[in-house]
């Protein structure tokens, strides 16, 4: 089983539900069966009065979740008809986004601990949790520009709401950032020591779950105490020291103008992380950059539900006619790291086509 489902019994027949992504060999990458188990279990627990809290975590020492198990899209395209590929992409992304949206609106306290790597689809699980917990080992990124996708799983919504142009930077460059950055960006709430992971459940069990108050207050107090204990041992932020330079590099309202600024920039020895991000953006998919740019500006005016519906359209089209399958081939199948990207202009009618649902009705379309 790729998701381990368990619970801890408390006094008074109460229980804490525990969901552990259990595929450490693949860094707990999400496949469709895992998504389905998570959704079905969360739905069942939400309706079970005995479940008072849910803990979501990853197995192993290296990662919470490194993203989606996307190799399947390459193999499916080799074997399936166009209609079958459409149905597979629609079903995968629809179920993933429904799960992510469910987490954002979950009615019971949900604690997610992102110890180690948390990228792409892992951030989709993490971002909506009630209590988003990082450690000194947390490593985040939305690296979709390198595989011909774009930051999805609700990232259009939360990247566009980050301070300054930092969300735009993360999407355009796939830059990595740590737990301290995530706290400052509003993407995380608390930090604990990685060594405290194993003891977190027992600490939660000691709370007064039979009390009349909101259990979130007790959970928050517990996590704030653990955060205070680890503060001195947290690493320095990776992204935040460069915010002023990033804001200047990405100043402007046209993608073409911003890319010229970014690609022509020179960096000193203290800006090695910016230079690396510049190179990733330069070699990334032009389609991915264009979609990210448009999403960044318009998602600020959209609800989360509207964002997920639009992302479903975009992701399916990235599979059917974009660079996604080619990006998967180059990075994960042949591993030649030489993707043959489609060369497109930063704007134009071609991009409008990615915002049109291919056939029938978008199952996530917001009803009037």
């Amino acid at each position: 089983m790729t998701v381990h489902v368990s619970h801890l019994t408390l006094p008074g027949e109460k229980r804490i539900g525990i969901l552990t992504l259990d595929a450490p060999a693949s860094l707990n990458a999400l496949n469709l069966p895992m998504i389905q188990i998570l959704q079905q279990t969360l739905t069942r627990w939400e309706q079970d009065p005995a479940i008072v809290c849910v803990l979501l975590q990853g197995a192993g020492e290296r990662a919470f979740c490194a993203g989606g198990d996307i190799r399947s899209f390459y193999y499916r395209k080799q074997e399936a008809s166009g209609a079958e590929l459409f149905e597979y992409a629609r079903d995968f992304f629809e179920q993933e986004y429904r799960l992510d949206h469910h987490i954002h609106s979950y009615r019971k306290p949900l604690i997610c601990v992102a110890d180690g790597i948390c990228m792409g689809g892992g951030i989709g699980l993490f971002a909506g949790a009630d209590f988003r917990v990082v450690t000194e080992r947390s490593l985040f990124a939305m690296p979709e520009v390198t595989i011909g996708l774009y930051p999805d799983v609700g990232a259009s919504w939360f990247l566009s709401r980050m301070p300054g142009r930092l969300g735009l930077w993360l999407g355009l460059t796939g830059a990595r950032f740590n737990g301290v950055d995530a706290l400052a960006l509003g993407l995380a709430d608390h930090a604990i020591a990685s060594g405290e992971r194993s003891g977190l459940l027992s600490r939660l069990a000691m709370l007064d779950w039979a009390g009349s108050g909101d259990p979130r207050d007790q959970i928050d107090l517990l996590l704030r105490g653990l955060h205070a204990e680890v503060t001195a041992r947290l690493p320095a932020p990776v992204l935040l020291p460069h915010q002023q330079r990033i804001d200047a590099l990405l100043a402007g309202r046209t993608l073409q103008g911003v890319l010229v600024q970014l690609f022509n920039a020179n960096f000193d020895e203290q800006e090695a992380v910016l230079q690396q991000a510049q190179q990733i953006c330069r070699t990334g998919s032009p389609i991915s950059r264009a979609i990210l740019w448009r999403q960044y500006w318009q998602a600020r005016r959209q609800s989360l539900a509207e964002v997920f519906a639009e992302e479903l359209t975009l992701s399916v089209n990235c599979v059917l006619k974009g660079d996604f399958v080619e990006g998967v081939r180059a990075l994960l199948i042949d591993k030649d790291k030489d993707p043959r990207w489609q060369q497109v202009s930063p704007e134009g009618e071609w991009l409008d086509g990615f915002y049109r649902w291919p056939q029938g009705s978008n199952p996530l379309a917001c009803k009037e």
Side-chain angles (χ1 to χ4, degrees), residues 110-300:
L110 197 159
I111 304 164
C112 184
V113 181
D115 184 31
I117 296 169
C118 180
M119 297 184 180
I123 296 182
L125 298 177
F126 179 78
D130 243 346
F131 298 94
R132 302 165 299 178
V133 181
V134 297
T135 76
E136 75 280 5
R137 304 192 312 177
S138 296
L139 176 64
F140 295 91
M142 295 297 295
E144 288 79 5
V145 68
T146 66
I147 56 169
L149 194 58
Y150 66 97
D152 62 331
V153 295
S156 304
W157 192 84
F158 59 74
L159 290 179
S160 66
R161 287 161 172 79
M162 287 181 176
R165 299 293 173 92
L166 293 180
L168 183 59
W169 177 263
L170 293 177
L172 278 177
T173 70
R176 297 183 173 191
F177 57 106
N178 64 21
V180 177
D181 291 306
L183 289 163
L185 291 169
L187 191 62
D189 306 299
H190 300 282
I192 66 172
S194 179
E196 289 288 343
R197 268 184 60 194
S198 59
L200 179 59
L201 197 57
S202 61
R203 289 176 179 266
L204 288 169
M206 295 172 63
L207 300 181
D208 180 14
W209 296 102
S212 58
D214 190 331
R216 289 173 176 82
D217 289 334
Q218 293 189 75
I219 298 170
D220 186 63
L221 186 62
L222 168 63
L223 292 174
R224 280 192 282 132
L226 293 174
H227 189 149
E229 292 176 10
V230 76
T231 298
R233 289 176 282 154
L234 292 175
V238 175
L239 187 69
L240 294 180
H242 303 289
Q243 180 175 354
Q244 186 173 357
R245 184 76 195 279
I246 288 170
D247 288 348
L249 285 169
L250 301 187
R253 291 303 292 263
T254 66
L255 176 57
Q256 187 168 3
V258 163
L259 290 179
V260 169
Q261 287 173 181
L262 176 58
F263 293 166
N264 290 334
N266 295 310
F267 301 102
D268 60 32
E269 293 180 359
Q270 285 71 45
E271 297 175 319
V273 294
L274 302 187
Q275 187 173 25
Q276 182 182 25
Q278 175 198 53
Q279 182 61 18
I280 293 171
C281 183
R282 191 195 306 273
T283 58
S285 163
I287 290 177
S288 299
R289 295 194 300 247
I291 291 175
L292 178 279
W293 179 265
R294 182 158 160 177
Q295 283 297 97
Y296 177 82
W297 293 106
Q298 67 186 36
R300 298 187 302 172

Side-chain angles (χ1 to χ4, degrees), residues 351-366:
L351 183 54
D352 294 336
F354 276 74
Y355 283 79
R356 289 192 285 269
W357 184 252
Q359 62 184 69
S361 301
N362 181 332
L364 295 185
C366 301

